[in-house]
Amino acid sequence: MTLNLTPDELLSTTRAVRKRLDFTRPVPRELIEQCVDLAVQAPTGRNRQRWHFMVVTEAEQRRAVADIFLRALPRATGQPLTKQDLWRMNYHSGSTERVFDGVRYLAANIHRVPAFVIPGVEGRTDHEPVAAQAGTWGSILPAVWSFMLAARARGLGTVWTTAQAPLERELAKVLGVPYEEVMLAAFIPLAFTLGTDFKPAPRIPREKVLHWDRW
């Protein structure tokens, strides 16, 4: 099934889905393969195509991966929030609480998610300068976003998380990924959605992010 969405609708309604994942329906392999086929049409630096997509659907492996997610989640603190971060997060009343409520719900049900997609990219950039970071991440992020858009078009929900990061080495071992050679970029739950009527998210005004010629 492919949803009848215009390009603008697809781009503006591909949401971070946590509370509307359908845990009762397995995701057919062919749909995931279609999404990967579209993902690898994304741009990639110097056409190196260093992307990889680990898909976990087998029950025992899903339990092992879900356990790592739960143990890593409280350790994934990220960078300290700035004053501007807090202003943007709370510009629309209730937005932040809804996000954290969704995170709590997902954590409580992570073992029920029918599929996990864990994208990786060859070449570690730990402690590398910005130029190296940009080239590597710029060659995996567009592909993963294309995967998420393709999933939305097929009635599937996703949410980009980086909760795997604190326990990336352990996750790599469970998945058989060569940690020294491949970075695991994200941890993405994948499932059909409960309904398909997603709407654009409330955002801060355009004039706060759009700059012409000068900052």
Side-chain angles (χ1 to χ4, degrees):
M1 177 188 73
T2 302
L3 303 182
N4 185 25
L5 299 173
T6 67
D8 284 2
E9 288 172 334
L10 180 63
L11 288 167
S12 63
T13 65
T14 299
R15 305 261 56 87
V17 185
R18 301 179 182 91
K19 299 185 75 172
R20 289 178 59 182
L21 296 173
D22 188 343
F23 305 126
T24 68
R25 298 174 62 188
V27 180
R29 178 175 180 142
E30 65 180 272
L31 286 188
I32 300 175
E33 290 175 341
Q34 290 171 14
C35 293
V36 171
D37 287 344
L38 291 168
V40 299
Q41 290 298 313
T44 168
R46 289 186 279 173
N47 197 32
R48 290 177 294 180
Q49 303 178 61
R50 290 181 169 182
W51 40 48
H52 295 270
F53 291 83
M54 295 292 307
V55 180
V56 181
T57 58
E58 193 273 326
E60 184 176 352
Q61 189 76 323
R62 279 192 295 114
R63 284 193 292 271
V65 168
D67 175 68
I68 293 173
F69 175 91
L70 286 175
R71 288 187 288 111
L73 190 61
R75 307 186 193 187
T77 55
Q79 294 180 322
L81 296 173
T82 67
K83 182 179 180 181
Q84 283 296 99
D85 289 332
L86 293 170
W87 175 80
R88 287 185 288 256
M89 290 167 64
N90 295 286
Y91 186 85
H92 293 278
S93 177
S95 293
T96 298
E97 180 51 38
R98 284 192 294 272
V99 169
F100 285 108
D101 185 52
V103 171
R104 289 188 290 266
Y105 178 85
L106 179 62
N109 291 278
I110 195 68
H111 61 287
R112 301 174 63 196
V113 176
F116 299 118
V117 179
I118 302 164
V121 59
E122 293 176 27
R124 300 204 64 84
T125 60
D126 308 72
H127 312 298
E128 290 286 338
V130 170
Q133 297 276 359
T136 298
W137 290 101
S139 290
I140 184 62
L141 284 163
V144 179
W145 180 234
S146 290
F147 179 96
M148 297 169 80
L149 290 170
R152 161 68 172 145
R154 287 158 176 76
L156 300 169
T158 58
V159 53
W160 177 290
T161 85
T162 54
Q164 87 293 340
L167 298 178
E168 183 196 356
R169 188 183 292 271
E170 182 179 347
L171 180 59
K173 184 177 181 180
V174 166
L175 297 173
V177 173
Y179 175 83
E180 301 298 335
E181 302 170 21
V182 176
M183 290 193 301
L184 300 180
F187 186 106
I188 300 175
L190 177 71
F192 283 102
T193 57
L194 299 171
T196 60
D197 56 331
F198 292 90
K199 299 178 181 179
R203 296 297 194 217
I204 61 174
R206 180 202 307 133
E207 57 267 23
K208 298 297 184 181
V209 299
L210 179 61
H211 308 271
W212 291 98
D213 299 324
R214 303 285 188 280
W215 180 265

